Amino acid sequence: MSNDATDYLFELLTTRTFYVVDTEYTSGPDRDGNHIISIAVTPISGGVKDTKGGLYKAMNPGVPITKESSKVHGFTDKDVKGKRRFNFYASTILDAFDDPDGIWVSHTNVDLIVLRDELARLDSDGTTSWLDKLPTLPVIDTSTLPRDLELRAGHRGAMSLQDLLELAGGLSNRQAHNAKADSEATADALLWLLRQASAKGLFASINDLLTSHNRGTTRDPVGPKFIRSRTSQDPDLPPEHVARHTTPLSHKADEAELATFVDLVGECVELRCQYLRDEVREAAIHNGKTLIDHLTTLYPRASEPGQAGTLAGALFEVIASNDPDVPSGLAHTRALRWWAKNRPQLQALPDCDANGECPDCRAGRSCPKATLYQPVADIAILGAAGTLSRNRINDRLLGDPIKDPDRAINKWMPRHPEAVAWMLLRLMERAEAEGLSTASNYLQMAIDRNVHRVEPQLALRYLRMATSTGDDLTEPIAFAEEVLAHRNRDLAYDELAAWLLWTEQSREALRRAAERPEVTPSPRARPAGRVNRNPYATT
């Protein structure tokens, strides 16, 4: 679309004022929801972020700040001692977005739920209905809007703010988990998203976008961040089950709360619920290390196709944290031992099929049941530091099998060849990103250990190398067929199958060209060297 058309559509999408809200909070000891510590509102008017006309308030939440919350945002009881409570700021906060044409924006609907929790607590005295004073604004959730705008194919329903900022070309956030900084960064991300929607020509007006996005209003929100628009493939879930998704587990749970949550996960597994992954992602922030073993007790509830993939998706979220400030629920020292114990149980469960698919398979993504080894291997590969440094590669991962038997590449091989394959793939990707020639060395290591047959992405890299050095395709095609004999619902196998299809067709085309008979001139053909005079010639 032309720049003029994009600019025109962007103007249509920014005719109303957006109020971008972010909060920092802590859970209460009485299970009465979360309590606000700080709140920020950044307006966007006429397509321009207004950093001076916004609002920022820090307050005493009225309950002790949990250690888990403090690790995220840095607030302690000492920091808020002497500050005023939420009830002092309530009117000012509601006035900040009291605009009949305004639009509420937040990254996930958790901020809206936290605000509604605070207002509901004020209503408990029976004197004033604060929830009725909450302005009715349509809601935009920037964690799910990228999927609605088709900006990342196959991405899950919700995207972390950090991932969104990276997707937007590396937009900055000067202080993550600070309400004001997060609000301003979310405002920048929203403007980028609206620009993308304009360039694609997806919506003729902001009302069209709101109808498609469909996150309800501040008075009647469509669930928290993980209630996303259904696709035609997703099942119609029982209303009583959807109702269980209305409050995320966003604090450190006690035993009773954890038991209730695990029961909800089990119900999601049986229903192949499309909301489960994002629900678990939220709960894992404060409960990951506790959750992981509880989830593995649910294998008996995954007895039908699609259910194991749904459960594996939940495990994926506990293991592979999207937020660098949130640790994995699986310790690196335990990762492969955990996998050795759980892999047989998980693999014994039915795979997804045409009549029973997990949410990821329905959305056209790799099945978590087939790819759960990847985040497990990542945890083991990265170690305690969580980074793939040069020292870790040399001192912990790679080494001579005789001199360094305890190095990962030698120690893992007997029981975990897929982890070795994944490690070498990660090292290849790192070397390629840095423009290093060592990438080919890692591929050769995989070939020497025969693990390029285990990992389809390594197999494809091997095939590209093998076909670049010769014209004989017999061995590469046989290799591809051998690897594809173990094909599962990892989409990397689809790419490998596409390579095989095109390679076989190319070989057949070359064979036909070589066998094409030589055409001999007909006796009636014009003798060589005899041509008609050019009628357009001047002489």
Side-chain angles (χ1 to χ4, degrees):
M1 185 173 291
S2 68
N3 289 337
D4 289 343
T6 298
D7 291 342
Y8 175 67
L9 286 177
F10 181 76
E11 289 179 9
L12 294 179
L13 294 180
T14 55
T15 53
R16 298 166 66 174
T17 300
F18 302 92
Y19 297 90
V20 186
V21 184
D22 190 84
T23 61
E24 302 300 334
Y25 52 88
T26 187
S27 58
D30 298 325
R31 304 185 205 170
D32 58 347
N34 291 304
H35 296 248
I36 293 178
I37 301 172
S38 62
I39 184 170
V41 182
T42 301
I44 297 175
S45 181
V48 178
K49 179 178 70 173
D50 182 4
T51 56
K52 295 183 179 180
L55 171 142
Y56 176 77
K57 298 295 181 185
M59 61 198 73
N60 189 322
V63 296
I65 298 175
T66 66
K67 292 181 179 179
E68 293 79 12
S69 298
S70 185
K71 287 179 182 178
V72 174
H73 48 59
F75 281 105
T76 64
D77 291 334
K78 182 179 179 180
D79 296 326
V80 299
K81 185 178 180 180
K83 290 186 179 294
R84 296 181 184 273
R85 302 287 180 84
F86 174 81
N87 60 348
F88 179 82
Y89 298 108
S91 293
T92 302
I93 291 170
L94 295 182
D95 288 345
F97 42 83
D98 187 11
D99 176 356
D101 292 323
I103 298 171
W104 170 288
V105 181
S106 56
H107 194 79
T108 79
N109 279 2
V110 170
D111 301 296
L112 177 55
I113 292 171
V114 172
L115 178 59
R116 289 177 60 87
D117 285 346
E118 289 282 18
L119 295 173
R121 276 190 288 273
L122 293 185
D123 286 346
S124 63
D125 63 9
T127 58
T128 307
S129 181
W130 282 94
L131 272 175
D132 288 342
K133 292 184 177 182
L134 178 65
T136 304
L137 306 182
V139 171
I140 287 179
D141 177 357
T142 52
S143 74
T144 56
L145 187 56
R147 180 179 178 86
D148 295 341
L149 301 185
E150 302 172 357
L151 292 177
R152 181 177 287 186
H155 196 275
R156 295 190 291 271
M159 180 182 294
S160 72
L161 180 57
Q162 182 59 38
D163 283 348
L164 176 56
L165 296 175
E166 291 177 3
L167 180 66
L171 293 175
S172 64
N173 185 356
R174 55 187 173 82
Q175 189 178 354
H177 303 299
N178 171 280
K180 191 172 191 305
D182 282 351
S183 174
E184 293 179 3
T186 302
D188 290 333
L190 175 66
L191 289 171
W192 180 81
L193 289 168
L194 295 176
R195 278 285 179 189
Q196 300 306 305
S198 303
K200 288 172 171 277
L202 296 175
F203 308 106
S205 68
I206 184 59
N207 292 334
D208 288 347
L209 185 150
L210 292 170
T211 299
S212 174
H213 189 51
N214 188 25
R215 290 299 180 275
T217 69
T218 49
R219 297 287 293 277
D220 187 22
V222 182
K225 69 174 186 180
F226 41 81
I227 304 295
R228 60 174 174 81
S229 299
R230 294 176 180 174
T231 68
S232 59
Q233 297 171 305
D234 284 334
D236 291 326
L237 300 172
E240 57 272 18
H241 175 76
V242 175
R244 297 188 69 182
H245 281 289
T246 55
T247 304
L249 185 60
S250 54
H251 60 275
K252 183 70 173 179
D254 58 28
E255 290 185 8
E257 290 174 313
L258 196 61
T260 300
F261 183 80
V262 173
D263 181 68
L264 170 61
V265 174
E267 191 174 286
C268 287
V269 168
E270 293 173 351
L271 295 171
R272 306 173 185 87
C273 174
Q274 59 266 33
Y275 306 143
L276 176 59
R277 285 191 72 145
D278 294 311
E279 174 95 44
V280 172
R281 184 184 304 120
E282 183 74 18
I285 294 174
H286 300 295
N287 303 279
K289 293 182 179 179
T290 309
L291 266 179
I292 189 164
D293 289 329
H294 282 76
L295 295 185
T296 59
T297 66
L298 297 174
Y299 291 137
R301 300 182 72 167
S303 59
E304 299 178 6
Q307 293 175 343
T310 307
L311 177 56
L315 288 167
F316 207 112
E317 292 303 330
V318 177
I319 295 169
S321 174
N322 289 324
D323 191 330
D325 295 324
V326 178
S328 169
L330 187 61
H332 74 97
T333 54
R334 181 192 177 203
L336 291 182
R337 286 186 289 112
W338 180 91
W339 183 235
K341 178 181 177 181
N342 285 271
R343 174 176 50 194
Q345 300 178 71
L346 187 62
Q347 291 181 342
L349 299 173
D351 292 329
C352 296
D353 60 25
N355 297 318
E357 293 186 315
C358 71
D360 287 87
C361 287
R362 292 198 303 267
R365 301 188 289 266
S366 292
C367 183
K369 183 176 183 290
T371 59
L372 189 60
Y373 72 91
Q374 296 172 2
V376 175
D378 274 333
I379 297 299
I381 292 165
L382 297 177
T387 58
L388 198 59
S389 65
R390 177 57 54 190
N391 285 340
R392 178 157 182 82
I393 294 172
N394 293 334
D395 298 341
R396 297 290 182 181
L397 301 182
L398 303 182
D400 182 88
I402 304 300
K403 296 179 181 178
D404 306 301
D406 290 333
R407 299 287 176 89
I409 197 170
N410 305 314
K411 193 174 181 179
W412 296 352
M413 267 303 297
R415 298 187 67 189
H416 302 288
E418 76 285 352
V420 174
W422 190 251
M423 175 179 68
L424 292 172
L425 177 64
R426 283 293 196 225
L427 297 183
M428 284 186 66
E429 292 173 339
R430 181 181 186 274
E432 290 168 348
E434 296 177 356
L436 302 176
S437 60
T438 52
S440 59
N441 296 342
Y442 299 133
L443 180 56
Q444 188 59 51
M445 289 182 186
I447 296 169
D448 293 342
R449 290 163 177 78
N450 213 28
V451 294
H452 62 314
R453 302 173 187 273
V454 175
E455 170 54 51
Q457 295 184 63
L458 277 179
L460 190 60
R461 289 168 183 263
Y462 163 73
L463 288 168
R464 288 170 176 162
M465 180 196 72
T467 53
S468 67
T469 57
D471 296 329
D472 187 2
L473 300 175
T474 303
E475 191 279 331
I477 287 176
F479 174 83
E481 291 173 341
E482 177 187 341
V483 175
L484 284 168
H486 305 286
R487 184 175 183 174
N488 56 32
R489 288 203 166 206
D490 181 348
L491 293 186
Y493 281 104
D494 293 354
E495 190 174 359
L496 186 59
W499 178 93
L500 179 61
L501 175 64
W502 284 106
T503 302
E504 289 180 328
Q505 290 182 346
S506 174
R507 183 171 68 167
E508 179 64 15
L510 291 173
R511 185 189 65 78
R512 290 179 179 179
E515 294 178 355
R516 187 175 298 132
E518 183 178 351
V519 178
T520 56
S522 167
R524 298 178 60 186
R526 189 180 308 278
R530 179 178 172 183
V531 297
N532 287 336
R533 188 182 75 85
N534 183 356
Y536 299 100
T538 56
T539 57

